[in-house]
Amino acid sequence: MDVAEFVETLDTEGRSLVAAAEEAGPDAEVATCPGWQVRDLVRHTGMVHRWARTFVTEGHTAYLQDGGLPALDGAELLAWFRDGHRRLVDSLASAPRDVECWSFLPAPSPLAFWARRQAHETTVHRVDAQSALGVTPGTVAPDLAVDGIDELLRGFHGRARSKVRAQEPRVLRVRATDADAVWTVRLSPEPPVSERGPGAERDGGAAVDVDCEVSGPAAGLYLALWNRLPFPTVTGDASLATLWRETSEVTWS
């Protein structure tokens, strides 16, 4: 996916998020985020949108603290969200392709990073907002889901701060059944090492012995890996799926 596609996704998903939030009401519990009400979700996502936009529009090349959560609620909070979302979409769409600013995951460019990251941030939280309505949230396009799985496995959990660790070397495979996409995740006492494809032993090219495979449609896997849904299908040692569920949370701070 390219920058324009990510920006279009961000635009659509943000509008869907705030529509669901408005329908659910600020007091509604967010089923996919235990302990959060809709107001918490809207405040968080709106804050992230403004924080992200700051890097792109002001060209900061080092990490900056976010601006904090607003005390707004109700209609004022929704208006604040809509304004920040619109500004982020417009800023990403109009930014120079060679803009230089801080980012925190590998990407072809800082602009590509921020467009991608905010598209996925907003998509996952749109699902959260729709879960507060007590209905099944709308799906995620397979190509976006595949990209999001890649960002999560090879980006977020490729960092030293990932807590997905195993005492002994184990292999988890992630397979999207509707997109011809597979990832091999090697677990150990160190941060996970993920690669796109079925994987092969580096010294002899032999097939990898997989301890557990999670599989299903890309959208279901995407949301399961973000701990929003159960894994569609688990084969092999299910304790590795449980390990993922218990240790893979990506926190803001």
Side-chain angles (χ1 to χ4, degrees):
M1 297 179 65
D2 60 24
V3 169
E5 291 173 309
F6 285 126
V7 173
E8 181 179 2
T9 296
L10 168 63
D11 188 11
T12 301
E13 296 287 357
R15 288 187 282 109
S16 296
L17 186 161
V18 74
E22 186 170 35
E23 182 178 351
D27 296 326
E29 299 292 331
V30 180
T32 50
C33 297
W36 267 16
Q37 294 177 306
V38 164
R39 62 170 57 86
D40 301 308
L41 176 66
V42 175
R43 287 169 179 166
H44 167 78
T45 313
M47 173 273 291
V48 173
H49 285 171
R50 283 168 165 75
W51 176 76
R53 180 176 178 268
T54 296
F55 291 102
V56 175
T57 59
E58 299 181 11
H60 297 288
T61 56
Y63 172 82
L64 288 178
Q65 191 73 26
D66 64 79
L69 301 176
L72 300 171
D73 206 351
E76 289 184 326
L77 176 60
L78 296 179
W80 173 84
F81 177 92
R82 287 187 173 101
D83 178 66
H85 170 249
R86 184 75 261 152
R87 289 172 182 265
L88 175 62
V89 169
D90 291 345
S91 294
L92 290 171
S94 62
R97 292 300 183 259
D98 60 351
V99 64
E100 293 293 333
C101 63
W102 179 82
S103 59
F104 61 88
L105 295 178
S109 68
L111 181 62
F113 164 80
W114 283 111
R116 180 195 206 192
R117 176 81 292 276
Q118 292 311 299
H120 289 299
E121 176 86 9
T122 308
T123 298
V124 172
H125 287 321
R126 180 269 295 170
V127 170
D128 294 332
Q130 291 178 339
S131 80
L133 294 171
V135 299
T136 301
T139 191
V140 178
D143 57 343
L144 180 70
V146 167
D147 182 83
I149 294 170
D150 202 70
E151 183 203 43
L152 183 61
L153 295 180
R154 299 204 295 162
F156 279 103
H157 289 289
R159 301 186 298 171
R161 64 189 298 177
S162 175
K163 296 179 181 179
V164 183
R165 313 288 177 99
Q167 291 185 344
E168 301 293 335
R170 309 297 299 279
V171 176
L172 172 68
R173 180 158 292 157
V174 178
R175 184 183 302 276
T177 55
D178 61 345
D180 191 26
V182 61
W183 295 260
T184 301
V185 184
R186 291 177 170 82
L187 305 175
S188 73
E190 300 300 318
V193 176
S194 300
E195 61 181 302
R196 187 79 177 263
E201 296 295 346
R202 288 174 172 78
D203 55 356
V208 173
D209 290 330
V210 176
D211 298 292
C212 176
E213 178 173 292
V214 294
S215 61
L221 283 177
Y222 174 63
L223 295 175
L225 289 164
W226 275 107
N227 293 323
R228 264 55 182 191
L229 291 176
F231 285 111
T233 302
V234 178
T235 55
D237 185 354
S239 70
L240 292 188
T242 301
L243 175 70
W244 181 274
R245 181 76 65 195
E246 293 177 347
T247 62
S248 66
E249 181 182 10
V250 176
T251 58
W252 176 247
S253 59

